[in-house]
């Protein structure tokens, strides 16, 4: 039967001050009115019933996950985050025990996809193919720009319409390389969405990452911190790329917001009361009532929450992590 | 006897969002821990007892003035603001009725003076001189820079040590003219501080501004909106400039803040919790608890209050007025 694994363990540092340890990005309504994890669940519902969805999160976030997803039956709460390989290995074992014939989609909880219909078609076709073949499918997103922050996967021989053998993985290339990849037409973003049968995933873990596979049954904190890409995808010979020809945005930081909201005549994107004088190309995120007033500024991200305010140059939105890392040192 | 008139009717638009109609600049602790009007009263106390101080304010602010100045006996609450001439005419009449021999210092409530000792010496000497001569004294501040936002007064013949006849008034000169004034050594800032006897002031108003003088007894709203400089000082022949050789800052907008606080190594001035990454030369005004975090910004003023946040380019701090003017239109 079809299952889904939704990975929701991120701490969302780059969305400070909206995201906090207990309320990270995936549990926030950042782009739509539903939280990102609610959107992830809604997108999968045409393919998988809620009763066969497994959310892997951490102990701090589990209560909020339960609140946001009433009716969810399977929550795995990691005692500590160990990157994606242990998290996925645990979920695969959990599902295989309940349904050895299972086929599953493994997806992040914190990416935004507008075209949910095309998404369901692609993932649906992948689930079907993964039910017949001993393969590990990764959804390769058609790149819309030479992003240097993503991993890429090169497609090889076509297997079926919309599916190719994977030729090689490349982690975060430099800009020149990324441009070549985009121009070549046979490189796609490795967006962290996987489809496989419980049997194929079990075999891959046992062969390429036996330490992780066995480790998750014991002391979770002692398991290697490793991504599923490094642990199995880059090593396995049976990896297939599905054509992810839908929009996809990992909403990596505050600057991503403006890709999803209407701008005013001055290029500003505002949520909540805002009044700007000589203000252009800013992103303004308030709560419902608090007013943000600006004079003579451009290209800023301004975020108000009840206990903290962020003012950040849009181009430096990634660096919000650095600020968050300093908070505990300063007792803030 | 010595009296004092403290003018406290301003609305303080440029200190939004800290200042509001009912809590304008003079009723806020902006530079020191006391509010600006409390500082103004404290500075005058060596010369004038609280029982002979008259605060002219407006009806909205009067309750806050009473709260901040316990023991104050004389509050004149204008029904509407009509600039300084009507306000001063009213106060002069009020004092003359109680003490026809009165000599008074008339001062704004919202300027900052560090050297209170020298201030008291200068104003004390002016009160003494004004008690003997039929003159209108304005305190001329030694200019520290070629400011274009102030009025200047040129000094003429010396009358006594530290006192000269006034030669002419010049309102807000252009930069080239202001530079000439500063270089010449005989132009001073007209800081809106006056000293005169009730008799001399009465005569000046009756002669040069009889409409204002009589008008304030009737329908206040019908009185001409005019400054005391235009109404009497620029017309009278008996104006004297006192040497205001003390520091003086009208704290005109948020950018003035950094002249009065210590800067950190990156040139930032912060009140309240602040954490900056790649942040230089900013002014950060929080309340006690709310955290302001910044990344990659320079030369900004950031002010947090419970219901509004301002983010303003420091060089545009004057334009906060424009923002405030738009608030009612937008129902904010």
């Amino acid at each position: 039967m079809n299952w889904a694994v939704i990975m929701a363990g991120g701490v969302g540092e780059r969305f400070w001050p909206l995201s906090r340890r207990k309320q990270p990005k995936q549990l926030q309504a950042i782009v739509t009115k539903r939280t990102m994890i609610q959107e992830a669940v809604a997108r999968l519902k045409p393919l998988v019933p809620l009763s066969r969805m497994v959310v892997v999160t951490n102990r701090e976030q589990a209560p909020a996950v339960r609140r946001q997803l009433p009716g969810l039956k399977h929550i795995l709460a990691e005692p500590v985050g160990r990157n994606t390989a242990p998290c996925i290995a645990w979920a695969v074992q959990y599902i295989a025990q309940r349904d050895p014939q299972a086929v599953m989609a493994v997806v992040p909880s914190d990416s935004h996809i507008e075209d949910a219909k095309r998404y369901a078609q692609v993932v649906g076709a992948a689930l079907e193919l993964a039910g017949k073949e001993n393969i590990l499918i990764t959804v390769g997103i058609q790149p819309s720009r030479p992003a240097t922050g993503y991993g890429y996967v090169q497609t090889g021989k076509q297997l079926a319409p919309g599916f190719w053998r994977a030729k090689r993985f490349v982690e975060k290339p430099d800009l020149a390389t990324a441009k070549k990849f985009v121009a070549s037409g046979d490189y796609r973003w490795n967006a962290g969405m996987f489809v496989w049968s419980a049997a194929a995933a079990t075999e891959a873990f046992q062969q390429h990452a036996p330490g992780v596979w066995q480790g998750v049954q014991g002391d979770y904190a002692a398991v290697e911190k490793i991504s599923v890409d490094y642990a199995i995808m880059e090593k396995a010979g049976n990896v297939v790329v599905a054509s992810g020809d839908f929009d996809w945005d990992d909403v990596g930081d505050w600057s991503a917001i403006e890709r999803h909201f209407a701008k005013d005549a001055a290029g500003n994107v505002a949520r909540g009361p805002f009044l700007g004088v000589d203000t252009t190309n800013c992103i303004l995120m308030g709560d419902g009532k608090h007013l943000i007033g600006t004079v003579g500024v451009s290209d800023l991200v301004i975020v108000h929450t009840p206990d903290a305010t962020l003012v950040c140059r849009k181009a430096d939105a990634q660096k919000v992590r650095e600020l968050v890392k300093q908070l505990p040192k300063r007792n803030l």
Side-chain angles (χ1 to χ4, degrees), chain A:
Chain A
M1 281 187 291
N2 287 350
W3 288 71
V5 177
I6 299 166
M7 294 177 285
V11 296
E13 286 172 332
R14 282 172 292 184
F15 279 89
W16 185 90
L18 190 62
S19 60
R20 302 291 168 92
R21 283 199 62 78
K22 288 187 188 172
Q23 292 285 115
K25 186 177 85 172
Q26 61 271 19
L27 300 177
Q28 300 282 346
I30 288 182
V31 179
T32 69
K33 286 182 179 171
R34 289 192 287 200
T35 66
M36 298 197 81
I37 198 170
Q38 286 171 333
E39 291 287 357
V41 165
R43 272 196 302 273
L44 286 165
K45 273 201 176 155
L47 307 169
V48 181
L50 190 58
S51 59
R52 290 202 301 272
M53 290 189 192
V54 179
V55 173
V56 191
T57 182
N58 58 53
R59 288 177 182 174
E60 277 180 310
Q61 296 166 19
V65 168
R66 280 182 208 284
R67 273 197 305 278
Q68 292 194 4
L69 299 172
L72 180 73
K73 292 191 164 43
H74 311 286
I75 298 186
L76 304 182
E78 295 182 294
V80 288
R82 308 307 289 160
N83 207 332
T84 49
C87 143
I88 292 173
W90 187 13
V92 169
Q93 291 174 19
Y94 180 91
I95 291 170
Q97 281 166 7
R98 282 157 183 76
D99 177 7
Q101 308 306 317
V103 180
M104 69 192 80
V106 181
V107 300
S109 58
D110 61 352
S111 45
H112 177 73
I113 293 161
E114 199 68 40
D115 189 353
K117 198 172 157 188
R118 185 74 195 123
Y119 168 85
Q121 288 169 348
V122 169
V123 176
L127 284 164
E128 210 179 307
L129 189 63
K132 293 183 223 159
E133 310 259 356
N134 180 25
I135 53 175
L136 308 172
I137 301 175
T138 182
V139 178
I141 302 289
Q142 187 69 51
S144 55
R145 61 184 193 279
T148 55
Y150 300 150
Y152 287 71
V153 56
Q154 187 183 16
T155 55
K157 213 183 115 193
Q158 190 162 27
L159 194 72
F163 293 91
W164 305 269
R165 291 278 170 196
K167 211 161 164 183
R168 69 170 183 137
F169 286 87
V170 182
E171 260 302 294
K172 301 182 182 175
D174 61 28
L175 186 62
T177 310
K179 281 181 177 169
K180 263 186 250 166
F181 286 176
V182 173
S184 77
D186 60 349
Y187 280 87
R188 289 167 171 258
W189 289 336
N190 176 23
M193 292 183 268
F194 310 103
V195 180
W196 49 49
S197 63
T202 300
E203 188 186 305
F205 271 106
Q206 284 176 336
Q207 189 174 345
H208 305 295
V212 170
W213 185 253
Q214 286 144 29
V216 297
Q217 296 299 340
D219 176 10
Y220 206 87
V223 180
E224 189 185 0
K225 215 169 178 176
I226 184 171
S227 77
V228 73
D229 295 300
Y230 280 117
I232 63 169
M233 300 304 279
E234 297 185 11
K235 292 174 181 163
N238 59 338
V239 175
V240 167
V241 181
S243 174
D245 50 353
F246 48 81
D247 63 286
W248 170 83
D249 189 342
D250 76 335
V251 197
D253 60 50
W254 282 116
S255 69
I257 291 295
E258 64 184 355
R259 294 197 286 266
H260 305 288
F261 287 96
K263 293 179 182 180
D264 68 15
N268 300 308
V269 166
R271 215 166 66 173
F274 160 62
L275 185 54
V277 171
D278 298 343
T279 297
T280 56
N281 303 316
C282 287
I283 298 170
L284 306 121
M285 306 291 284
D287 56 14
K289 288 176 181 175
H290 188 94
L291 172 64
I292 300 175
T294 59
V295 182
V297 296
S298 294
D299 302 305
L300 293 182
V301 176
I302 302 171
V303 184
H304 165 82
T305 66
D307 61 353
T309 298
L310 170 70
V311 179
C312 173
R313 203 168 67 105
K314 217 195 279 176
D316 287 333
Q318 290 268 346
K319 290 193 190 166
V320 171
R321 294 182 97 145
E322 293 177 30
L323 191 148
V324 173
K325 285 198 199 325
Q326 290 183 37
L327 293 175
K329 289 180 212 164
R330 297 276 303 275
N331 277 322
L332 295 169

